[in-house]
Amino acid sequence: MSEKSTISCQEIRTFPTSLLTVKILQARNIIVDDLSSGADCYVTLWLPTASKEKLRTRTVLHSSALVWNETFYFMIQNQVKNILELRIYSEDDLLFTILFDVAEVAPGERVHVTFILNLEKMKQLEVEFIMKENLDHLEKLITNDVLVSRSVSCLNVCVAKRNNKRYSKEEDNLALQVKGSYEDRWKTALESGLIECFHFHYPTYWEPELNAILQHCSSNGEQDEHRSFASLTLPLKLVSAGQEVKVALPVSEDTSLELRLHRQSCSEQLDMRLGFDLCEEEKAFLHKRKNVVSAALKSILQLKKDLLDHEVPVVAVMAAGGGCRAMTSLYGQLSGLKKLGILDCITYIGGTSGSTWAMSNLYEDSAWSQKDLGRPICKAKKHMTKNKINVFSLEHLISYQKEMTQRAEDGISTSFNDLWAVALENILHGRVNDFKLSDQQQAVNQGQNPLPLYVALSVKENHISTFDFKEWCEFSPYEVGFLKYGAFIHSEDFGSDFFMGRLMRKIPESRLCYLEALWSNILAVNFLDVWNCLSSTDESWQKLIQSKIRNIEESYVPPKSSTYLGTSWMCPDGMLFKIIRNVLTDCPLHYHIHNFLKGLHMHKDYYQDSQFSVWKDSQLDQFPNQLTPSEDDICLVDAAYFINTSCPPLLRKERKVDVILSFDYTPDNPFQSIEQTQKYCLEQGIPFPRILLCEEDMKNPRECYLFVDDENRKAPIVLHFPLVNDTFQKFKEPGVERGQYERTVPLSGHCSPYHLMNFRYSEKDFDALLKLTDYNIRNNRDKILKAISLAIEWKKMSGN
């Protein structure tokens, strides 16, 4: 039996639940140290898709034949991936962990499984499983075949606090808990004459319990969790939906505390989008932008007639990171595209790290690409050349702390990146800028500018390396989402609390500076390292910093004459040092934010879904209990921790990008990011041309390289622009030779001002880099138009 309907393009189906019976029978040959005796052993059971509680058997004492014969029950949904974790302990020492896919037990079956823990010594655990489908309990699910959102109920608990002399002497607390709920627990002081209500949201068919405990407080007001004088446990399956139930919690022989319970079903409408297609807002943008691109191409290519819809190519800019060097260079390249009339041919601009600073500045103007770029470039130049000695003045630091305090009160987890964000805002804008990511919608709502796309990496902090586990997180003015899971939320909801796809607590959208810091937080860590070297002698502090750092320009040693940020920002002594040290040591270095996937379960066939497999990055993907939906928070880092590129959003097959203008800003190894991108795409099965380079290219890179895969026209045509000073040494404009004594651009080496951590350029340095990148674009006009013409030809031949 199934029922189908559509809510926000998401399919709702109804499926029966099942009762899983797990009987832990016995273990054999579980001998620890003493060969003459067994171990004091017990087994724990954890099935996170059915309950947050970990169950356990009794402890069997000193026996080589460990017999339990204990039975446990789980109400499960077979449409999700149910992985039962069994752990065998000897006292408190973990001996073995077993992961069992419950799907191996079919409905109506009784299965006896012997888990071989050690083949040589025949250590084994015997377990019996019974699966019984429950057709009387149906559950509505919403899924994209990778993630599953389940039915959610809301329990309302109203506490009537009656007058009692005991309470006037001792302010005892009432603790309420529903394990596995979004709220988990509430606590309240028992003050006379008040009625207070609390909510618990939980998966309906988990059927958890409400635990109510009256607890004493010590004389200093601290709660003593071991001193309770009244408690109540109520299975929520006894509370029918829509009905009110009154429960008395006895306090003494003649006094009780009344709890009024009311349960209701939550809306089936999700506050997030589960799906791999583009959102409706982006589809509308593409329709409008196609008209702009078509008109521009007709003019530039001098076409006699308009291109048909299916003939209009999707051209994207793929900008890399590189601090202020990337920001300044991107301004120059976009200026060059504007002068050539090609900027109106661009549909997407992807950025990461420093390139996002230029993008976020430009998109404050809703018609920026239709205007001369001189004004935003002059504004950027003003802030790049100003003295930044006061960025961490005591006055500014106090204002930063006030803002971080307010963010904490709003429910936002603060970290070093908040300090980095407001400092970066001061550097780039010189003032508090209230602009937000969702405000950029005004710049694309008529298709008047390319759609900006930003990227970050979600990682597992501390216990798993970034190179062992990473997931792409995409940001646009419309949505923020995980590409691998096909889960997206409105950009204005990023940072708010979600549970099972429902918005639980709306938190005000952060200013854009906080996202800029997120997208470029590798700079924050490197700055932290520099400051630490200048000011700190604490060995443990130094070890903490060093464990966090991966400098993408490790070979660089700053010259004494550099305008290096570390020496221009910091005064390492006195009050300022103490305040900043407290801010940094009290908070993690990575960007943590509420996980909008929280509570969602993995679909039973998620690993076979082609969309999920495309973005598979590690073996951890085979362990659903450890994937991102199981986390309370997500940890985001700069994409440069993996690849210094903004490619993943642009390579989504739904966007159908035909031509990529790849802008690289690494002076020492200008092909590293494009080669890494090609390798990544090859491993993931994403169409991308081969990057073939000769030895001469590596020694003396040119301004532009064209990469085409003639055998696979699903692969984009790639034009790669390294950051090089090639013919610009002889020509100041395309075809115009420069004077004998005119200045060139030192991109690398100790004399170069364009190192990653330099946040202050001279006016000449800024202008030189801007003119170089502008020139490199305009000097390769013919190659760009050739790539676009080839894409049009391919699209005409394919007919779609």
Side-chain angles (χ1 to χ4, degrees):
M1 294 187 296
S2 67
E3 175 184 320
K4 294 185 179 181
S5 63
T6 301
I7 293 182
S8 300
C9 301
Q10 294 165 144
E11 189 175 40
I12 300 178
R13 295 182 181 181
T14 301
F15 294 94
T17 57
S18 296
L19 180 65
L20 173 68
T21 302
V22 182
K23 189 174 184 179
I24 306 297
L25 299 173
Q26 61 180 337
R28 301 179 185 274
N29 305 313
I30 306 297
I31 300 175
V32 187
D33 296 321
D34 187 353
L35 297 179
S36 63
S37 65
D40 297 346
C41 290
Y42 62 91
V43 180
T44 64
L45 304 88
W46 185 46
L47 186 56
T49 51
S51 173
K52 286 298 181 184
E53 289 194 77
K54 292 185 178 181
L55 308 177
R56 58 162 289 177
T57 66
R58 68 185 187 279
T59 300
V60 177
L61 304 176
H62 301 292
S63 173
S64 58
L66 302 173
V67 179
W68 289 284
N69 285 329
E70 288 190 55
T71 303
F72 303 87
Y73 302 94
F74 300 93
M75 186 68 73
I76 70 167
Q77 173 54 253
N78 284 321
Q79 294 301 308
V80 305
K81 196 69 169 175
N82 298 293
I83 303 296
L84 176 65
E85 294 192 15
L86 300 171
R87 296 174 182 249
I88 303 178
Y89 289 86
S90 172
E91 296 180 344
D92 290 327
D93 296 324
L94 177 62
L95 301 180
F96 301 100
T97 299
I98 301 166
L99 301 180
F100 179 72
D101 190 342
V102 171
E104 295 185 26
V105 185
E109 280 191 346
R110 179 191 297 265
V111 178
H112 186 107
V113 180
T114 300
F115 297 103
I116 305 300
L117 309 176
N118 184 303
L119 183 61
E120 181 181 353
K121 297 182 179 180
M122 288 306 294
K123 296 183 178 182
Q124 53 189 250
L125 175 68
E126 295 182 24
V127 184
E128 182 182 81
F129 299 93
I130 301 174
M131 184 76 71
K132 183 179 180 181
E133 194 171 52
N134 191 345
L135 298 177
D136 294 330
H137 287 76
L138 302 178
E139 182 178 17
K140 291 183 178 179
L141 307 177
I142 300 175
T143 181
N144 62 357
D145 294 329
V146 171
L147 292 176
V148 178
S149 174
R150 304 182 64 178
S151 300
V152 173
S153 290
C154 177
L155 177 70
N156 184 51
V157 182
C158 288
V159 183
K161 304 172 182 178
R162 299 178 180 177
N163 291 325
N164 189 298
K165 292 182 179 180
R166 170 191 293 272
Y167 302 151
S168 64
K169 295 180 181 179
E170 299 179 72
E171 292 185 353
D172 295 324
N173 286 340
L174 173 66
L176 301 170
Q177 183 177 32
V178 176
K179 291 184 179 180
S181 66
Y182 159 73
E183 295 82 1
D184 187 49
R185 67 174 60 198
W186 291 103
K187 294 180 182 178
T188 181
L190 296 180
E191 299 173 354
S192 300
L194 297 177
I195 296 179
E196 195 169 1
C197 296
F198 306 92
H199 293 88
F200 294 94
H201 295 83
Y202 62 93
T204 303
Y205 291 101
W206 277 18
E207 296 185 340
E209 298 175 334
L210 170 67
N211 293 299
I213 303 174
L214 286 174
Q215 296 173 326
H216 282 302
C217 288
S218 61
S219 57
N220 60 6
E222 294 183 359
Q223 179 178 302
D224 186 349
E225 296 186 359
H226 300 288
R227 295 183 61 206
S228 61
F229 59 91
S231 63
L232 170 72
T233 298
L234 179 69
L236 295 187
K237 64 183 178 180
L238 301 179
V239 181
S240 300
Q243 295 183 352
E244 183 176 272
V245 175
K246 295 182 179 180
V247 179
L249 179 60
V251 177
S252 62
E253 292 183 2
D254 58 351
T255 305
S256 62
L257 194 63
E258 184 180 87
L259 306 180
R260 291 186 305 213
L261 314 180
H262 181 269
R263 181 172 72 85
Q264 61 184 18
S265 298
C266 294
S267 171
E268 296 171 355
Q269 176 71 55
L270 298 188
D271 298 304
M272 71 186 316
R273 183 173 67 87
L274 292 183
F276 292 91
D277 200 2
L278 304 179
C279 67
E280 294 303 316
E281 293 86 352
E282 184 171 341
K283 291 178 182 178
F285 160 81
L286 290 173
H287 177 73
K288 296 172 183 176
R289 185 64 182 174
K290 185 172 288 188
N291 295 329
V292 177
V293 172
S294 179
L297 288 174
K298 184 179 181 181
S299 174
I300 295 172
L301 299 177
Q302 299 181 346
L303 303 176
K304 294 181 179 180
K305 59 181 181 179
D306 293 337
L307 293 171
L308 299 177
D309 275 2
H310 75 273
E311 297 172 344
V312 179
V314 177
V315 183
V317 165
M318 183 172 76
C324 296
R325 180 180 63 234
M327 179 186 71
T328 308
S329 298
L330 182 56
Y331 277 127
Q333 290 159 331
L334 294 177
S335 176
L337 292 172
K338 174 67 178 177
K339 293 172 183 175
L340 295 177
I342 297 177
L343 189 54
D344 280 341
C345 303
I346 307 298
T347 299
Y348 293 105
I349 298 181
T352 186
S353 198
S355 60
T356 66
W357 303 344
M359 293 166 62
S360 60
N361 285 339
L362 289 171
Y363 280 88
E364 289 188 33
D365 185 339
S366 61
W368 70 267
S369 67
Q370 309 304 311
K371 302 176 180 179
D372 180 77
L373 298 187
R375 183 174 179 179
I377 289 175
C378 285
K379 179 182 175 183
K381 178 180 177 180
K382 171 186 174 183
H383 293 295
M384 272 300 302
T385 57
K386 70 185 178 184
N387 193 325
K388 300 175 178 65
I389 194 68
N390 69 337
V391 169
F392 271 91
S393 67
L394 186 57
E395 179 184 359
H396 279 117
L397 192 64
I398 291 173
S399 69
Y400 300 162
Q401 279 196 321
K402 286 182 179 178
E403 179 155 355
M404 283 187 278
T405 299
Q406 181 60 53
R407 285 172 64 79
E409 292 175 354
D410 288 339
I412 301 173
S413 176
T414 58
S415 71
F416 172 79
N417 287 282
D418 293 83
L419 177 63
W420 168 237
V422 289
L424 187 62
E425 181 179 52
N426 195 322
I427 293 170
L428 300 179
H429 303 282
R431 59 180 174 83
V432 174
N433 187 358
D434 290 327
F435 203 70
K436 302 177 179 65
L437 178 60
S438 63
D439 293 333
Q440 293 185 358
Q441 294 175 20
Q442 298 300 315
V444 292
N445 58 3
Q446 300 302 317
Q448 70 270 40
N449 299 303
L451 184 70
L453 299 172
Y454 311 90
V455 66
L457 280 177
S458 171
V459 300
K460 298 277 189 179
E461 192 179 24
N462 298 327
H463 59 288
I464 297 178
S465 163
T466 301
F467 291 94
D468 293 331
F469 181 82
K470 52 208 166 288
E471 298 172 335
W472 298 112
C473 187
E474 169 188 301
F475 297 76
S476 84
Y478 298 122
E479 292 188 320
V480 177
F482 282 100
L483 306 185
K484 183 168 76 174
Y485 299 108
F488 300 86
I489 59 173
H490 296 303
S491 57
E492 56 265 34
D493 290 335
F494 181 67
S496 294
D497 256 348
F498 283 77
F499 179 72
M500 201 64 80
R502 281 85 170 174
L503 181 61
M504 294 285 106
R505 182 175 54 142
K506 173 65 177 175
I507 292 176
E509 182 181 3
S510 293
R511 303 204 314 275
L512 192 55
C513 69
Y514 289 98
L515 293 182
E516 290 176 318
L518 182 164
W519 299 325
S520 60
N521 66 359
I522 193 169
L523 299 179
V525 174
N526 282 321
F527 157 68
L528 188 60
D529 181 41
V530 173
W531 174 73
N532 173 64
C533 292
L534 291 173
S535 61
S536 178
T537 58
D538 187 328
E539 183 177 354
S540 61
W541 170 244
Q542 292 178 3
K543 289 181 178 179
L544 170 65
I545 301 304
Q546 292 297 331
S547 68
K548 301 286 184 181
I549 290 173
R550 176 178 175 263
N551 192 331
I552 61 175
E553 295 181 8
E554 294 175 349
S555 61
Y556 172 56
V557 178
K560 293 181 180 179
S561 60
S562 171
T563 53
Y564 194 54
L565 177 64
T567 57
S568 63
W569 274 22
M570 282 299 160
C571 173
D573 297 318
M575 177 65 74
L576 185 60
F577 166 81
K578 293 179 181 178
I579 294 175
I580 294 178
R581 181 182 172 86
N582 288 337
V583 171
L584 302 187
T585 55
D586 287 346
C587 303
L589 300 181
H590 290 155
Y591 189 99
H592 288 262
I593 201 157
H594 297 302
N595 180 14
F596 55 87
L597 300 186
K598 183 178 179 180
L600 294 169
H601 294 157
M602 305 303 298
H603 188 271
K604 64 182 179 69
D605 299 321
Y606 81 94
Y607 202 69
Q608 282 71 47
D609 189 274
S610 60
Q611 295 279 20
F612 181 86
S613 298
V614 165
W615 302 104
K616 182 171 76 274
D617 288 314
S618 72
Q619 293 300 312
L620 193 65
D621 288 334
Q622 301 178 44
F623 300 93
N625 294 356
Q626 298 183 50
L627 290 178
T628 301
S630 65
E631 305 285 350
D632 290 332
D633 299 319
I634 50 177
C635 177
L636 297 172
V637 299
D638 190 323
Y641 272 90
F642 178 42
I643 304 176
N644 187 23
T645 181
S646 55
C647 70
L650 300 174
L651 295 177
R652 285 178 62 185
K653 64 180 182 180
E654 295 81 12
R655 293 203 165 104
K656 302 177 182 178
V657 172
D658 301 295
V659 180
I660 290 178
L661 306 183
S662 170
F663 297 155
D664 191 283
Y665 308 121
T666 308
D668 298 323
N669 193 346
F671 300 106
Q672 183 181 49
S673 65
I674 195 70
E675 288 179 323
Q676 289 177 333
T677 299
Q678 183 235 312
K679 180 182 178 183
Y680 176 75
C681 290
L682 180 64
E683 292 174 349
Q684 305 302 325
I686 302 171
F688 199 82
R690 293 188 63 190
I691 307 303
L692 300 175
L693 299 163
C694 65
E695 186 175 344
E696 178 62 22
D697 292 327
M698 303 302 290
K699 290 182 179 179
N700 300 296
R702 304 189 305 272
E703 296 162 351
C704 180
Y705 291 82
L706 176 64
F707 300 108
V708 181
D709 189 342
D710 292 315
E711 298 179 358
N712 183 5
R713 294 185 177 179
K714 291 184 178 180
I717 299 167
V718 176
L719 281 163
H720 185 64
F721 290 83
L723 184 60
V724 296
N725 186 12
D726 187 11
T727 63
F728 189 64
Q729 297 180 65
K730 185 177 180 181
F731 296 90
K732 61 181 178 180
E733 296 284 341
V736 180
E737 291 191 21
R738 69 170 61 249
Q740 182 178 0
Y741 299 106
E742 291 189 53
R743 190 172 183 272
T744 59
V745 186
L747 291 173
S748 60
H750 288 179
C751 294
S752 173
Y754 304 117
H755 290 291
L756 181 66
M757 291 303 295
N758 187 8
F759 276 68
R760 187 184 180 189
Y761 294 170
S762 69
E763 291 190 7
K764 288 185 178 180
D765 291 337
F766 183 92
D767 290 340
L769 183 57
L770 186 80
K771 291 177 181 178
L772 168 66
T773 52
D774 177 292
Y775 168 88
N776 284 351
I777 291 293
R778 290 189 291 130
N779 197 47
N780 288 278
R781 173 184 181 273
D782 292 343
K783 285 186 178 180
I784 297 174
L785 296 184
K786 177 184 177 181
I788 294 176
S789 298
L790 180 59
I792 294 173
E793 180 183 341
W794 284 5
K795 293 180 79 67
K796 286 182 176 181
M797 293 175 63
S798 67
N800 55 49

